Amino acid sequence: MALMTWNDALSVKVGEFDDQHKKLVNLVNNLHDAMKSGQGKEMIGKTLTALIDYTQKHFAAEERLMKQHCYPEYEEHKKEHNMLVLKVLDFKTGFEAGKAPLTQDVLTFLRDWVVKHIQGIDKKYGVFFNSKGVK
Ligand code: FE
Ligand code: FE
């Protein structure tokens, strides 16, 4: 079973970002699958890297649009993004060094972070962007 599924409760009412969030959910599931099916370190490392790369791309896309529309909560939002990126890069470093295996706890943390972030702070920009004509 997939670790998480995208559903309407996760919609931020901006099509481009809903699509990106769906992809993010898929990438978290891929990592979960790779771990569950006992893939080797190299394969798990690859799915982890794919998740981190896409996350950074997605964050940059959100931040770009926020800046473009002078979103008042830009700084606060960017801070949350930066903190997650630091944390997952830490996971990656530990994993690659063989010091910290990826555990179910790490996956649960990622899933909960994504859901909380989308339903909380991301949804807030949805209302703002819609008011600027971005849908
Ligand atoms: Fe987002
Ligand atoms: Fe965000």
Side-chain angles (χ1 to χ4, degrees), residues 21 58-59 62 66 77 81 113 117-118 121-122 125:
H21 289 150
H58 166 63
F59 286 173
E62 284 186 347
M66 283 180 213
H77 200 127
H81 286 170
W113 191 94
H117 183 83
I118 293 175
I121 206 166
D122 276 1
Y125 70 49

Side-chain angles (χ1 to χ4, degrees), residues 2-123:
L3 179 71
M4 58 188 306
T5 42
W6 191 91
N7 59 63
D8 279 340
L10 290 179
S11 176
V12 295
K13 311 287 186 227
V14 177
E16 179 193 359
F17 295 144
D18 278 347
D19 288 344
Q20 292 180 5
H21 289 150
K22 287 173 194 169
K23 176 143 191 199
L24 215 52
V25 165
N26 282 335
L27 289 166
V28 172
N29 284 329
N30 287 348
L31 180 59
H32 181 246
D33 290 345
M35 285 168 55
K36 277 220 118 169
S37 62
Q39 297 282 339
K41 190 176 168 186
E42 197 186 328
M43 195 59 219
I44 293 176
K46 269 187 193 158
T47 54
L48 178 62
T49 301
L51 171 62
I52 295 173
D53 287 353
Y54 192 75
T55 299
Q56 287 182 292
K57 258 188 219 153
H58 166 63
F59 286 173
E62 284 186 347
E63 288 161 18
R64 212 177 307 125
L65 199 68
M66 283 180 213
K67 261 209 137 153
Q68 197 183 314
H69 290 281
C70 302
Y71 183 53
E73 288 165 57
Y74 169 81
E75 289 298 335
E76 177 191 338
H77 200 127
K78 191 178 166 56
K79 224 178 255 173
E80 270 206 20
H81 286 170
N82 289 348
M83 270 159 56
L84 181 79
V85 169
L86 286 178
K87 197 145 184 178
V88 291
L89 287 174
D90 251 15
F91 289 148
K92 184 175 142 100
T93 308
F95 172 75
E96 282 174 349
K99 281 189 216 149
L102 289 177
T103 58
Q104 187 61 45
D105 283 354
V106 171
L107 266 286
T108 303
F109 165 82
L110 284 175
R111 180 194 61 192
D112 293 349
W113 191 94
V114 167
V115 169
K116 241 177 93 182
H117 183 83
I118 293 175
Q119 288 192 322
I121 206 166
D122 276 1
K123 273 200 178 178

